[in-house]
Amino acid sequence: MEQVVKYIKDNRERYIEELKDYIRIPSISTLKSNIPDIKKCSKFVADNLKNAGMKKVKIIPTAGHPLVYAEWMGAPGKPTVLVYGHYDVQPVDPVELWKNPPFEPVIKSGKIWARGADDNKGQNFIHIKSVEAYLKTTGKLPLNVKFLIEGEEEIGSENLELFLKKNKKLLKCDSVLISDTSMYAPGIPTINYGLRGLCYMEIEVTGPDRDLHSGSFGGGIANPINELAKIISKLQNSDGKITIPGFYKDVIKLSPIERANYKKLKYSDKALMKEFNVKELQGEKGYTTLERMSGRPTLDCNGIVGGFIEEGAKTVLPSKASAKISMRLVPDQDPKTISKLFTKYVKSLAPKSIKVEIKDLHGGFPIVMSLDDKAITAASKAVSKAFGKKTVFTREGGSIPIVVDFAKQLNAPVVLMGFGLETDNIHSPNEHFNLKNFELGMLSSVYFFEEFSK
Ligand code: BES
Ligand code: MN
């Protein structure tokens, strides 16, 4: 193992250069214009896995973006780990707020700055590179490893879900290893044991059949932006509770033990306010900030458009307005049920003066995992050894929809070994990834393979 660790240290600069090449490919999954980049990126991942010494490397086409699969099964009798990650990234807008062009990675203050640096290229590259270090030095791995790197995580993983159902044998494993979450705090080794689910909706409101002069018609004809704003404002009450009837019906309450564990983490509200420059925090009454951000469901407007949005003023009563609204879910909420309840309630809130159309864009189930598992214990030991501190267990507020399918379809424990930081600006301008976490991540990966092979 020493030579593996030495290889990682000796090849640090080259690894970072390769990560930059990976990041330079603008693999934005939601934009049709970037389909050629998605293809190019899947090839980059496949080639890198091949060069690392992985076998049976395949680019698997789907109805959407391709999957990349690889395996090394040279350790009969030993457990098999399936490493999952995603090579697709989020759009870069608002692009003018980036300090460097989003796909021209820059190294500054020990961090790599670019879209995808953390979410998820930097994080999945950790495991590709730890495997390379093993195979180039010892010629083998201490256990069997499969890789599955997809291109549609940021748009809901629907094609992977289908693939998974049909390829349970191919993907059979004893644990799934994922680095696509955040650490509790800088330097604190963290294993996540939960993810929130998601129900992502779009509301389109139509008033008059064309844009109107707001002077001539304001006061007579309903303004769709005004009406949409009223609808959105009614989705939560002053206690921060979501008002959709039945919304909380399937929510499993936080147990006293869980609440005590949350408390032990000593989350600092002050530090959060300072980091993001806000004067006050808000949310559901009766819960701490950390509970609200990971253990309770939420509703947020992600985007809203309508009317005149260019520079200057134009007096207009627009014909249409729309909003994208996401709800983060916790066990046992079901995204399809929530979607129905949302649709029914929003329709009931709309006055006759407007037409409302509601679309369900995508969703994913929430999960909370048992900590009582060999894979989790091995992972906890591994990150603790790499970072030299005691491991902390947290629930993540974000979502990785495919995790529930892995747990159900493959019947294998999922290890969420995140190396991102809450302040890495994922999905936002100036995304970055701490290179220290990249390095310690590779050590964690090596230690995990070692520990789990025992
Ligand atoms: N890496 C994130 C998940 C995540 C979010 C981890 C926040 C840590 C903190 C993942 O790539 C992601 O963004 N997931 C989406 C899923 C959705 C598009 C279906 C999310 O949570 O919004
Ligand atoms: Mn993401």
Side-chain angles (χ1 to χ4, degrees):
M1 197 167 69
E2 260 163 48
Q3 39 179 338
V4 180
V5 170
K6 182 172 183 300
Y7 183 95
I8 288 172
K9 295 202 166 128
D10 292 346
N11 287 275
R12 182 179 185 273
E13 294 310 312
R14 177 175 59 84
Y15 275 10
I16 292 172
E17 283 312 308
E18 284 181 36
L19 175 58
K20 281 184 176 171
D21 291 339
Y22 187 10
I23 288 172
R24 279 192 192 102
I25 309 168
S27 48
I28 303 169
S29 50
T30 201
L31 301 179
K32 286 203 182 73
S33 57
N34 292 55
I35 290 175
D37 301 304
I38 281 279
K39 284 224 168 83
K40 197 169 148 193
C41 202
S42 65
K43 189 164 180 304
F44 179 94
V45 173
D47 288 344
N48 214 285
L49 283 163
K50 246 178 248 167
N51 291 338
M54 290 296 293
K55 309 279 186 226
K56 294 201 182 157
V57 182
K58 273 189 281 204
I59 296 177
I60 304 167
T62 72
H65 304 325
L67 300 164
V68 183
Y69 175 83
E71 62 177 47
W72 189 91
M73 300 296 288
K78 291 287 186 183
T80 301
V81 174
L82 173 67
V83 179
Y84 163 83
H86 62 95
Y87 66 79
D88 67 320
V89 299
Q90 286 277 334
V92 297
D93 65 287
V95 72
E96 65 280 5
L97 297 184
W98 285 79
K99 289 184 189 123
N100 56 285
F103 294 107
E104 291 173 27
V106 165
I107 310 282
K108 218 176 70 194
S109 336
K111 297 165 188 140
I112 178 163
W113 300 75
R115 171 60 83 232
D118 163 328
D119 185 9
N120 173 251
K121 289 172 175 173
Q123 293 217 57
N124 64 56
F125 213 50
I126 282 174
H127 303 293
I128 301 181
K129 289 328 213 185
S130 80
V131 162
E132 176 188 316
Y134 266 112
L135 293 174
K136 296 283 179 199
T137 51
T138 65
K140 57 182 201 290
L141 297 172
L143 39 53
N144 304 297
V145 174
K146 296 174 176 176
F147 274 91
L148 185 65
I149 313 287
E150 71 152 321
E152 296 191 317
E153 194 274 342
E154 300 291 5
I155 51 172
S157 300
E158 273 169 29
N159 289 301
L160 175 54
E161 201 184 314
L162 294 176
F163 181 82
L164 189 55
K165 275 192 192 131
K166 290 186 199 146
N167 292 278
K168 285 187 213 171
K169 247 205 191 133
L170 178 75
L171 302 175
K172 188 175 171 339
C173 61
D174 301 290
S175 85
V176 182
L177 176 61
I178 305 177
S179 292
D180 193 22
T181 49
S182 300
M183 296 169 59
Y184 178 64
I188 305 294
T190 307
I191 299 295
N192 291 107
Y193 66 97
L195 291 162
R196 285 198 283 195
L198 186 67
C199 173
Y200 199 114
M201 308 294 291
E202 185 169 355
I203 310 178
E204 193 187 71
V205 169
T206 309
D209 67 359
R210 73 204 81 157
D211 284 6
L212 302 173
H213 189 292
S214 64
S216 313
F217 299 98
I221 289 190
N223 180 321
I225 304 180
N226 294 10
E227 297 311 319
L228 180 59
K230 283 186 212 162
I231 292 173
I232 294 172
S233 72
K234 285 180 190 145
L235 298 176
Q236 273 152 319
N237 67 19
S238 57
D239 285 342
K241 295 268 179 214
I242 294 153
T243 51
I244 300 168
F247 183 85
Y248 291 99
K249 190 176 142 278
D250 297 324
V251 171
I252 298 179
K253 284 210 183 91
L254 294 173
S255 70
I257 295 177
E258 212 169 8
R259 299 198 78 174
N261 284 338
Y262 265 116
K263 228 187 209 140
K264 273 192 215 139
L265 292 171
K266 295 202 167 52
Y267 190 81
S268 164
D269 283 8
K270 259 204 192 126
L272 183 67
M273 289 190 271
K274 188 156 177 265
E275 172 66 33
F276 296 111
N277 259 307
V278 294
K279 292 213 171 71
E280 192 181 36
L281 300 176
Q282 65 92 54
E284 190 183 2
K285 210 172 156 186
Y287 295 92
T288 66
T289 304
L290 201 55
E291 287 171 344
R292 297 194 308 269
M293 295 199 306
S294 63
R296 294 290 298 170
T298 53
L299 182 146
D300 278 287
C301 188
N302 297 249
I304 181 159
V305 276
F308 183 64
I309 54 168
E310 303 301 317
E311 200 185 322
K314 177 195 182 202
T315 47
V316 62
L317 192 165
S319 165
K320 281 181 192 301
S322 70
K324 295 179 197 275
I325 293 176
S326 70
M327 287 157 279
R328 296 285 167 172
L329 313 177
V330 299
D332 268 337
Q333 287 177 299
D334 175 329
K336 283 278 167 284
T337 308
I338 296 296
S339 163
K340 279 187 202 133
L341 294 175
F342 175 91
T343 304
K344 195 171 161 206
Y345 186 53
V346 168
K347 285 201 166 146
S348 81
L349 291 177
K352 263 206 201 112
S353 53
I354 53 165
K355 227 178 31 215
V356 178
E357 231 184 291
I358 299 168
K359 274 192 223 151
D360 179 339
L361 297 189
H362 59 72
F365 279 87
I367 190 169
V368 170
M369 291 170 283
S370 155
L371 290 175
D372 193 17
D373 191 278
K374 256 180 68 187
I376 302 274
T377 309
S380 164
K381 278 191 190 164
V383 287
S384 174
K385 185 170 171 190
F387 285 82
K389 289 221 168 84
K390 208 170 150 227
T391 303
V392 157
F393 295 89
T394 61
R395 280 170 71 167
E396 178 64 71
S399 314
I400 309 174
I402 203 67
V403 168
V404 173
D405 299 81
F406 280 139
K408 274 194 204 147
Q409 305 281 347
L410 302 179
N411 197 20
V414 180
V415 173
L416 298 172
M417 187 190 275
F419 300 108
L421 295 176
E422 201 176 50
T423 50
D424 281 354
N425 296 335
I426 65 172
H427 296 206
S428 172
N430 305 307
E431 176 175 351
H432 55 273
F433 189 42
N434 196 313
L435 290 172
K436 192 82 211 155
N437 289 358
F438 180 59
E439 273 169 70
L440 296 180
M442 288 189 280
L443 296 191
S444 304
S445 176
V446 167
Y447 297 151
F448 174 72
F449 291 149
E450 218 56 59
E451 189 64 38
F452 193 55
S453 75
K454 284 180 193 164

